[in-house]
Amino acid sequence: MEIFRTRRELSEYLLVQNKLGKVCGLVPTMGALHDGHLSLIDVAGKESDYVVCSIFVNPTQFNDARDLEKYPRTIEQDIQKLNSVNCDVLFLPETSEIYLGVESWHIDLGTLDKSLEGELRPGHYQGVTQIVKKLFDIINPDKAYFGQKDYQQFLVISKMVKTFNLSVKLVMCPIVRETDGLAMSSRNIHLSPTDRQNALALHESLVITKQKFPHKSIEQLEEDAKQYLSTIPGLSLDYFSICHSETLQKAEAKDANGLVALVAAKVGCTRLIDNIILS
Ligand code: AMP
């Protein structure tokens, strides 16, 4: 695997691949890699001629300086993991390689960044679109791979791609879970053994909702899930919401357009998110 820390080195490599007509698949990450990230690289490897993984803990998407500081950084292990899978290039830039200083950025995301994560983490999706646009500009991938785990993020990036008429094809990959159902996340390493056990309730609440989906109203499903989660010690719920899968507008009634249930909660000191497609 080639490792590039500067745009210039990366560009030289990309130019050669481009001339050969090779299809580029990009997997953007913030590192602290786990099997969820590796699954994206696996899918990208099957659909592209070469895979670029980026690791960059993007400061502009953190609205809490403490969260940014606490974000796990495990670069040595990350490189080992990437070497064990089909990853051709790691792009590992310093912040100064990406940002000139404080840069202004704003994109109209409509209602997408006003609900759920957008509402609770103001500015988060502006930062996400800012970094993903920069990575797309630097790398110009044919395809880019993202996880369903960050469902709202995928919609936000899709909106950005449409806004700028970008030709990159976005691919959403399934959520990879631990054997007991917990969605893999870089933040899971902050969970104490007790938190780790309590955190299972998030996935459980989603699975129960999906099971009951044919038999209960949206309102009842949300109420049941909230009630269940309120019984879990150390879990502080931010939202449990059933939404339209394309717009993330709150679902009022069951319809054929596709619905998704999304949950976010703090378990101990760690904030976790998860979701499940209902229909
Ligand atoms: P992050 O490093 O958390 O920014 O995540 C980088 C990419 O990996 C994003 O597209 C995430 O949605 C994806 N991802 C994170 N966790 C998982 C998971 N458990 N399963 C599948 N994809 C994931």
Side-chain angles (χ1 to χ4, degrees), residues 13-182:
Y13 175 95
L14 295 173
L15 200 67
V16 175
Q17 302 302 316
N18 228 350
K19 281 194 181 140
L20 295 170
K22 298 268 177 89
V23 172
C24 174
L26 171 66
V27 178
T29 81
M30 297 208 297
L33 301 181
H34 50 66
D35 284 353
H37 298 113
L38 301 185
S39 76
L40 305 187
I41 291 165
D42 189 44
V43 178
K46 289 184 177 129
E47 298 186 353
S48 324
D49 293 322
Y50 69 103
V51 179
V52 178
C53 172
S54 61
I55 296 184
F56 180 64
V57 182
N58 174 39
T60 69
Q61 71 187 71
F62 286 81
N63 48 341
D64 175 354
R66 178 98 183 84
D67 191 24
L68 172 61
E69 195 188 309
K70 242 181 62 178
Y71 199 82
R73 289 158 173 94
T74 59
I75 196 61
E76 294 307 323
Q77 292 99 302
D78 290 352
I79 292 174
Q80 272 178 21
K81 286 180 186 173
L82 290 174
N83 270 321
S84 74
V85 294
N86 191 9
C87 184
D88 300 279
V89 174
L90 167 60
F91 182 43
L92 186 60
E94 293 288 339
T95 305
S96 57
E97 190 66 22
I98 298 291
Y99 294 112
L100 293 170
V102 179
E103 295 179 21
S104 65
W105 167 266
H106 181 80
I107 172 174
D108 183 0
L109 294 168
T111 54
L112 273 181
D113 68 347
K114 297 191 178 56
S115 64
L116 308 172
E117 292 303 291
E119 187 181 359
L120 286 155
R121 303 179 67 189
H124 171 63
Y125 287 128
Q126 291 300 328
V128 168
T129 49
Q130 184 180 28
I131 183 59
V132 174
K133 177 68 165 60
K134 276 181 182 267
L135 291 171
F136 285 176
D137 286 346
I138 296 167
I139 297 163
N140 196 19
D142 299 283
K143 302 177 185 185
Y145 296 81
F146 297 90
Q148 183 197 320
K149 160 92 179 354
D150 297 275
Y151 189 88
Q152 190 171 7
Q153 170 173 280
F154 188 84
L155 295 186
V156 160
I157 293 168
S158 303
K159 167 97 176 155
M160 181 193 75
V161 163
K162 280 190 202 119
T163 303
F164 290 107
N165 298 311
L166 305 180
S167 57
V168 61
K169 181 176 179 280
L170 302 182
V171 181
M172 189 198 278
C173 302
I175 302 174
V176 176
R177 300 181 178 281
E178 304 287 355
T179 43
D180 56 10
L182 181 69

Side-chain angles (χ1 to χ4, degrees), residues 206-217:
L206 293 167
V207 171
I208 296 167
T209 302
K210 188 163 175 136
Q211 280 164 359
K212 290 189 196 163
F213 183 70
H215 318 294
K216 293 201 171 188
S217 69

